[in-house]
Amino acid sequence: MSLSRILNSKKIRFSAVFALFLIFVNYQTAVKAQADTSLGKAPDTILNVAEHEAGAEAAGHEAAHGADEKFDPTTVIMEHIADSHTWHLWGHTSIGLPVILYTDKGIESFSSSAFHHGEEAYEGKFYTYKLIEDKIFAVNASGAIDKEASAKVYDFSITKNILAIWISVALLIIIFSSVSSSYKKREGKAPKGLQSFIEPIILFVRDEIARPNIGYKYNKFMPLLLTLFFFIWINNLLGLIPLFPGGANVTGNIFMTFVLSFIVLVVVNLNGNKYYWKHILLPDVPWWLYPIMIPVEIIGVISKPFALMIRLYANISAGHIIVLSLIALIFIFKSIALAPVSVAFVLFMDVLELLVAFLQAFIFTMLTALFIGTAVDEHHH
Amino acid sequence: MDKLFEGLLNHHIGFVVWSTLAFVILFVLLRALAWKPILGAIHERERHIESALQAAENAKAEMARLTSENESLLKEARAERDLILKEAKELREKMIAESRATAQAEGAKMIEKARIEIEGQKAAALAEVKNQVSSLSIEIAEKILRSEFADQSKQEALVSDLLKEVKLN
């Protein structure tokens, strides 16, 4: 078959590039090892890499701070994909985002630049705060975490991801209100410009996602499905851009995917009809199986959106981690010669991520439509 | 496990609240600003296209119907024309025949009349001729008699002859 031939040729090409890459890596490490031993030093770098790969968790923040010249890829990558109280732009320039704290004594807010990247504690109105691993803790006079006080501090800060969400929300509103106005201007005519780019996607969501999965009641759920689809998609795409307006890992944040899937959970169960609830509470099994079946069905209700949450989070985070790891190779081996290989792989990954960005938005929306479809299905089964 | 979830609410409740708020606002705004008008417009356009296609289909059917109607009308007209022509022909033939018959009768009548006239004229002419002949013969006879009886003696001889013939009974 022609398909398998293409697959084969791609595999061959991929493995050729990969082999080249491995040769390069081996050569580099060999050279490095020779140089290191000739200087009478232990091969620090390689050991470090091995150590970090073996125990990524263990080689945490402290290690990175302990040896300031040593490069710790795990910390760097985790910092990049995690939410932050500052938005790093370039070099030492970063935007201090507003910190809003809800404490048992009241609300207080200040700029996160007061923390000086976590190096200094900030004395607020009620407690003294310190940024540890980009999380705000209340500290006591000696600078140690005050656990009791920390438990009373709730962080409502406008973090990097929140700002990124606002940017994407603003972008979506600008894009779609302009598209909508062009529908009003060119009523009944063929689409044009941005409209002709957006319309097939809207039709795709309607004809390939909503209609086949929900059935004739699809119209009611179209706004939610479209909002979910475009929100996830634009955030996936913005996450791929390394520079300022993008770069925040919004859809790779498990709390974001939690919010989205929780909304799906609520919508699905609020729209569930009597057949849906009968299927859960009175399944078609002998009565003595109910003690097993009902908990299983209830777990099913929760696990469906849970799978949505994990799937989106894991896919997007994994993509970011791979890209960052490939870039980190340059710093691990401290060689600019590795850059072309790294960049080539990153380019490949980015193109793949473009596809994944669309695919994950599609899958999330499609499964949402499917769950809604099972909840509103009229047929008894 | 406890360690994993420690401070979860403290550090992440804000993100959950803000992102939920942002998504809900986005949903409400986009539903009002974009999805309803866009989906409405798309639906309207699709309906329009569908109805236009339907109208075209209808027009085609109507066209076909009209064509077939025309054809049948034409056929009918042709048949009617043929009928009219046939009738006209028949009428003509009848008229010709009729007029011929009338002419013949008229001719016969005229001939008869002429014959009677001729007959009358002939009789009159014959009567004239008879009269002429009789008067001529009388004249001739007179003239002969005159010349015969110019001499007195002859007259007396004749009378005596005649008297002799007439014997008194």
Side-chain angles (χ1 to χ4, degrees):
Chain A
M1 270 170 72
S2 59
L3 194 76
S4 64
R5 210 185 307 148
I6 292 166
L7 216 69
N8 273 337
S9 72
K10 275 215 175 122
K11 226 187 278 171
I12 289 163
R13 214 177 305 155
F14 183 83
S15 47
V17 175
F18 193 69
L20 199 74
F21 170 71
L22 279 181
I23 290 166
F24 204 83
V25 168
N26 283 335
Y27 174 73
Q28 282 291 320
T29 36
V31 166
K32 199 146 272 222
Q34 265 180 357
D36 283 343
T37 41
S38 67
L39 282 169
K41 270 199 259 168
D44 262 304
T45 347
I46 300 157
L47 269 182
N48 263 333
V49 173
E51 181 192 293
H52 289 311
E53 272 168 1
E57 292 289 317
H61 204 74
E62 295 305 315
H65 269 272
D68 36 31
E69 275 309 302
K70 261 188 243 162
F71 177 72
D72 178 5
T74 313
T75 320
V76 170
I77 290 168
M78 285 306 159
E79 266 172 12
H80 268 86
I81 66 165
D83 200 359
S84 169
H85 282 87
T86 57
W87 199 323
H88 180 248
L89 295 182
W90 58 81
H92 292 289
T93 318
S94 51
I95 305 175
L97 298 167
V99 173
I100 302 166
L101 296 173
Y102 177 82
T103 67
D104 55 337
K105 291 175 190 160
I107 296 170
E108 67 174 316
S109 65
F110 51 91
S111 169
S112 73
S113 49
F115 287 127
H116 294 98
H117 304 287
E119 284 156 23
E120 282 173 32
Y122 173 79
E123 202 173 324
K125 275 184 282 181
F126 311 118
Y127 297 105
T128 305
Y129 308 102
K130 196 160 194 250
L131 206 56
I132 298 162
E133 289 182 46
D134 236 319
K135 284 174 184 150
I136 293 169
F137 289 96
V139 291
N140 53 26
S142 63
I145 296 174
D146 183 352
K147 278 203 173 173
E148 259 176 61
S150 293
K152 292 171 194 157
V153 177
Y154 292 94
D155 187 359
F156 280 89
S157 305
I158 307 304
T159 59
K160 180 180 170 184
N161 280 355
I162 293 291
L163 190 58
I165 290 169
W166 286 358
I167 289 168
S168 59
V169 164
L171 268 175
L172 284 173
I173 287 170
I174 290 166
I175 291 169
F176 285 103
S177 52
S178 93
V179 168
S180 169
S181 74
S182 61
Y183 271 100
K184 252 173 239 148
K185 252 183 273 163
R186 303 168 43 78
E187 204 181 327
K189 288 184 190 158
K192 200 179 165 192
L194 185 63
Q195 192 191 358
S196 60
F197 171 70
I198 295 295
E199 187 177 310
I201 303 168
I202 292 176
L203 290 181
F204 172 77
V205 172
R206 193 190 65 179
D207 298 339
E208 306 297 324
I209 296 176
R211 235 181 227 165
N213 289 314
I214 299 176
Y216 70 98
K217 289 176 192 157
Y218 76 96
N219 223 7
K220 186 182 163 194
F221 301 100
M222 276 304 285
L224 177 74
L225 295 176
L226 285 167
T227 312
L228 273 175
F229 181 82
F230 283 104
F231 181 77
I232 294 169
W233 195 24
I234 202 164
N235 278 313
N236 287 350
L237 290 178
L238 285 175
L240 293 179
I241 302 170
L243 300 173
F244 166 64
N249 186 21
V250 175
T251 39
N253 182 326
I254 196 156
F255 294 100
M256 185 71 242
T257 61
F258 164 74
V259 166
L260 294 177
S261 51
F262 188 76
I263 289 169
V264 171
L265 176 80
V266 169
V267 168
V268 167
N269 288 293
L270 283 185
N271 286 289
N273 58 16
K274 57 181 173 185
Y275 301 113
Y276 173 76
W277 289 113
K278 189 193 170 292
H279 187 75
I280 291 166
L281 300 174
L282 297 165
D284 286 330
V285 291
W287 62 268
W288 48 269
L289 273 175
Y290 279 8
I292 305 169
M293 280 308 284
I294 291 171
V296 165
E297 290 287 352
I298 288 168
I299 290 168
V301 167
I302 295 161
S303 71
K304 282 182 201 164
F306 189 81
L308 279 184
M309 169 176 98
I310 298 294
R311 182 180 297 109
L312 183 59
Y313 157 75
N315 272 288
I316 303 306
S317 291
H320 283 237
I321 290 170
I322 291 170
V323 168
L324 288 166
S325 308
L326 289 168
I327 291 290
L329 283 177
I330 302 170
F331 301 98
I332 290 168
F333 294 109
K334 290 184 183 154
S335 163
I336 193 81
L338 200 65
V341 182
S342 229
V343 168
F345 271 87
V346 167
L347 185 66
F348 170 74
M349 274 315 295
D350 273 341
V351 175
L352 197 68
E353 283 300 297
L354 271 181
L355 174 71
V356 170
F358 179 82
L359 204 66
Q360 288 307 318
F362 166 66
I363 289 172
F364 195 101
T365 319
M366 215 207 48
L367 288 175
T368 303
L370 195 70
F371 299 156
I372 292 172
T374 55
V376 301
D377 196 4
E378 291 288 343
H379 303 290
H380 184 68
H381 51 103
Chain B
M1 204 64 180
D2 273 352
K3 187 115 179 70
L4 190 64
F5 289 110
E6 195 188 322
L8 190 75
L9 211 57
N10 296 68
H11 298 302
H12 299 293
I13 182 99
F15 182 86
V16 169
V17 168
W18 287 124
S19 56
T20 309
L21 198 68
F23 187 81
V24 169
I25 290 171
L26 178 74
F27 173 69
V28 170
L29 279 179
L30 281 186
R31 190 176 58 173
L33 282 175
W35 306 137
K36 283 208 171 144
I38 290 174
L39 288 172
I42 289 174
H43 183 72
E44 197 57 39
R45 198 172 59 207
E46 275 173 354
R47 240 187 30 163
H48 183 76
I49 290 168
E50 212 156 284
S51 69
L53 283 177
Q54 191 60 47
E57 200 69 24
N58 286 352
K60 214 166 115 187
E62 182 78 355
M63 201 73 176
R65 201 179 60 78
L66 278 178
T67 313
S68 74
E69 206 176 88
N70 270 1
E71 204 116 305
S72 71
L73 269 179
L74 208 63
K75 216 184 255 172
E76 230 164 75
R78 215 170 271 154
E80 198 156 342
R81 187 197 64 184
D82 284 353
L83 192 74
I84 289 169
L85 274 178
K86 209 173 111 196
E87 267 172 12
K89 214 186 217 168
E90 272 168 12
L91 197 67
R92 188 189 67 181
E93 259 152 34
K94 209 169 107 190
M95 267 167 85
I96 288 170
E98 227 165 58
S99 56
R100 190 174 287 154
T102 328
Q104 246 161 12
E106 198 81 358
K109 219 192 253 169
M110 271 167 82
I111 288 167
E112 185 66 14
K113 219 174 172 183
R115 211 172 47 86
I116 289 164
E117 187 91 341
I118 289 166
E119 213 70 12
Q121 291 286 344
K122 207 169 94 182
L126 276 177
E128 187 89 351
V129 167
K130 265 182 199 161
N131 279 350
Q132 288 282 357
V133 166
S134 62
S135 67
L136 260 178
S137 47
I138 289 167
E139 245 171 67
I140 290 168
E142 200 186 301
K143 275 180 183 153
I144 292 170
L145 282 174
R146 237 170 251 269
S147 60
E148 267 305 286
F149 292 103
D151 176 355
Q152 201 70 44
S153 53
K154 270 185 181 175
Q155 282 180 24
E156 280 170 6
L158 189 55
V159 172
S160 53
D161 273 350
L162 280 169
L163 281 170
K164 273 183 213 172
E165 268 176 46
V166 183
K167 289 173 200 158
L168 288 164
N169 303 346

